[in-house]
Amino acid sequence: MAPTRFNAKPGDLIEIDRGMYQHWALYIGGMEVVHLTTPNEDSGSSGFALMVLDSPIGKVKREKIWEVVSNDSFKVNNLLDYKHQPHESYIIVKEACSMVGLELPYSIFTKNCEHFVTDLRYGKPESRQVIKAAAIGVAAVGIVALGAALFASWLNDDNKEERREERREPRREPRRERRRHYNWQ
């Protein structure tokens, strides 16, 4: 059931939480959005994340916001207003509507739905979730590399100890001291 109240202005970015990622759309007014989807995406579906990875083509669609949002949570998120001056709302909406129906190159890393809407609003395609994923990936690689280095160091230390043992002469029993007996008589 679609809520009857929605506080977005034409040209606002809509962030839709799909669980493991966010889908982005651009509000154009009249309870409609324009967004970049993959051909296999079912609007409002949150289970298509793996299909996105395989699709080199995206399609620009104009749909009712409630069809796109479905049961997922969403919010207005003009995330780069602090960094870039947004275009005038009528220009954003006009440009978005002129792209409806187009098939565009799609890449989860360089040309995804977030790149699409930020380019419309700011003239600069950016994706915070790609930047965040890249940072997490770099951190994970760093942790794995550190773990591997520590493991190699531990093996190297263990091998050093074995080599040290091999070089040592057999251990001799300590000499027994002869007791001197003195004749005190």
Side-chain angles (χ1 to χ4, degrees):
M1 183 167 119
T4 55
R5 190 175 150 182
F6 178 63
N7 294 323
K9 298 182 292 291
D12 280 347
L13 303 182
I14 308 300
E15 179 183 4
I16 305 161
D17 186 4
R18 298 276 202 238
M20 297 214 24
Y21 69 99
Q22 287 74 43
H23 181 64
W24 291 82
L26 184 104
Y27 185 69
I28 59 170
M31 304 308 278
E32 291 185 315
V33 294
V34 171
H35 60 126
L36 180 65
T37 68
T38 58
N40 298 328
E41 180 184 3
D42 177 23
S43 289
S45 169
S46 57
F48 84 103
L50 293 177
M51 287 188 285
V52 167
L53 294 172
D54 294 334
S55 181
I57 301 291
K59 186 166 185 171
V60 181
K61 293 184 179 179
R62 178 179 180 167
E63 298 181 273
K64 291 289 186 187
I65 189 164
W66 308 120
E67 292 171 6
V68 177
V69 169
S70 187
N71 294 322
D72 295 327
S73 62
F74 68 98
K75 64 182 176 182
V76 172
N77 186 357
N78 297 320
L79 70 163
L80 299 174
D81 280 6
Y82 75 96
K83 186 176 178 183
H84 305 296
Q85 179 68 36
H87 297 298
E88 294 290 328
S89 61
Y90 74 91
I91 294 171
I92 298 169
V93 170
K94 182 179 176 183
E95 181 71 20
C97 290
S98 74
M99 298 181 81
V100 171
L102 293 179
E103 288 189 347
L104 302 173
Y106 185 92
S107 164
I108 195 163
F109 302 109
T110 60
K111 295 180 181 181
N112 65 34
C113 57
E114 188 177 0
H115 288 106
F116 175 73
V117 297
T118 56
D119 192 26
L120 286 168
R121 184 169 174 87
Y122 306 107
K124 304 205 183 296
E126 290 189 31
S127 178
R128 291 297 171 105
Q129 60 189 330
V130 168
I131 293 167
K132 186 193 300 184
I136 290 169
V138 167
V141 167
I143 290 170
V144 169
L146 179 61
L150 289 173
F151 183 70
S153 174
W154 174 77
L155 283 178
N156 195 19
D157 284 349
D158 200 32
N159 289 341
K160 280 182 188 174
E161 189 61 37
E162 286 175 12
R163 286 192 303 269
R164 229 181 263 137
E165 287 292 326
E166 290 169 2
R167 283 185 297 204
R168 287 187 188 151
E169 292 180 23
R171 221 171 178 183
R172 296 181 184 164
E173 289 295 318
R175 280 194 212 181
R176 291 185 191 165
E177 288 187 34
R178 292 185 195 167
R179 288 190 159 190
R180 296 182 189 211
H181 295 282
Y182 295 99
N183 191 354
W184 293 94
Q185 291 178 335

